[in-house]
Amino acid sequence: MKLTEQFWDESYKNNDIGWDLGEISPPLKTYFDQLTDKDLKILIPGGGNCYEAEYLHSQGFKNVYVVDLSKTALDNIKRRVPSFPSAHLIHMNFFDLDMTFDIIIEQTFFCAINPNLRPLYTIKTSELLYDHGKVVGLLFDAPLNADKPPFGGNKSEYMNHFHTRYTIKIMEQARNSHPSRTGKELFFKIIKKP
Ligand SMILES: C[S@@+](CC[C@H](N)C(=O)[O-])C[C@H]1O[C@@H](n2cnc3c(N)ncnc32)[C@H](O)[C@@H]1O
């Protein structure tokens, strides 16, 4: 299966977006609510309709960026949240991005890329972070599909990927998942190694 820009954009155009919760993912809301520095530079890769970016923006976070291959998804955010800075909605392949952030948020992006790109995800996220920057978010804790997204995984597999460049601070079953994902996802926080 070719996970091209066209594939993702048509999914949004056809509203074939089973992954879309229609609201901010509860564990991410809990995480965001304890952040106090509104100047943090935050990237949400493969953010899609990105209720997470909308929430952060509504809470006064000024440096929130979304990168996505789907222009339709980014246009949806623009339409829903007209005050969200257009320049922070980046229509690009995540792997081509060249910027630097404090935090990268993971929410059903890792499971959407071809699993053979997982080592590159580890490298690319670490390149996009300032020293001691972090990746925080959710990962599926189930095998899921072998031939199309969502591609699953488990804690030991994820730790194997990330330990090369990150210190694993948290990787545990999420406590307040969206009901449709209860018991099926891990909340994680990993810090870039110096
Ligand atoms: C399964 S969806 C998840 C969207 C959103 N995070 C959510 O939870 O609703 C995967 C998203 O990643 C985007 N995407 C896939 N590959 C990408 C890439 N290489 N660079 C940027 N975005 C990508 C797709 O367009 C899509 O919006």
Side-chain angles (χ1 to χ4, degrees):
M1 178 172 199
K2 290 256 189 302
L3 298 171
T4 57
E5 174 172 345
Q6 187 187 4
F7 165 80
W8 289 109
D9 202 54
E10 277 176 9
S11 303
Y12 282 95
K13 281 196 174 123
N14 300 330
N15 211 24
D16 187 8
I17 50 172
W19 57 79
D20 190 299
L21 294 176
E23 60 182 286
I24 184 170
S25 178
L28 289 176
K29 179 176 182 301
T30 303
Y31 175 71
F32 295 153
D33 285 346
Q34 51 82 53
L35 295 176
T36 50
D37 180 359
K38 307 277 173 167
D39 291 323
L40 285 167
K41 205 165 160 199
I42 301 174
L43 174 68
I44 309 180
N49 282 331
C50 217
Y51 311 98
E52 289 71 28
E54 177 176 7
Y55 181 74
L56 286 165
H57 179 67
S58 75
Q59 298 304 300
F61 288 85
K62 294 184 277 297
N63 296 308
V64 180
Y65 292 78
V66 181
V67 60
D68 204 289
L69 277 180
S70 166
K71 185 166 181 312
T72 302
L74 296 172
D75 286 346
N76 289 346
I77 304 173
K78 243 184 240 176
R79 204 174 26 254
R80 220 176 58 239
V81 194
S83 61
F84 196 93
S86 300
H88 292 196
L89 297 172
I90 305 170
H91 181 213
M92 193 189 276
N93 188 331
F94 162 75
F95 295 99
D96 294 332
L97 194 61
D98 184 12
M99 292 174 74
T100 322
F101 300 90
D102 297 297
I103 305 179
I104 296 176
I105 298 298
E106 173 51 51
Q107 158 82 346
T108 57
F109 174 57
F110 188 84
C111 71
I113 57 173
N114 191 312
N116 66 23
L117 290 174
R118 290 180 172 187
L120 193 56
Y121 174 101
T122 303
I123 293 167
K124 186 67 191 176
T125 51
S126 72
E127 287 173 352
L128 289 170
L129 287 168
Y130 293 117
D131 285 348
H132 304 292
K134 47 191 112 148
V135 186
V136 179
L138 297 156
L139 294 164
F140 281 114
D141 189 19
L144 305 180
N145 303 325
D147 56 344
K148 59 175 187 204
F151 302 103
N154 57 53
K155 180 170 173 171
S156 66
E157 184 196 334
Y158 300 142
M159 304 247 294
N160 272 340
H161 279 298
F162 296 141
H163 90 277
T164 53
R165 295 224 172 190
Y166 291 95
T167 302
I168 318 285
K169 287 288 182 191
I170 305 174
M171 177 85 66
E172 62 189 25
Q173 192 158 104
R175 293 190 196 131
N176 58 338
S177 294
H178 186 273
S180 62
R181 295 188 185 159
T182 301
K184 293 183 216 148
E185 61 184 5
L186 301 164
F187 179 81
F188 76 107
K189 177 159 92 170
I190 56 179
I191 316 281
K192 179 177 167 171
K193 285 182 183 169

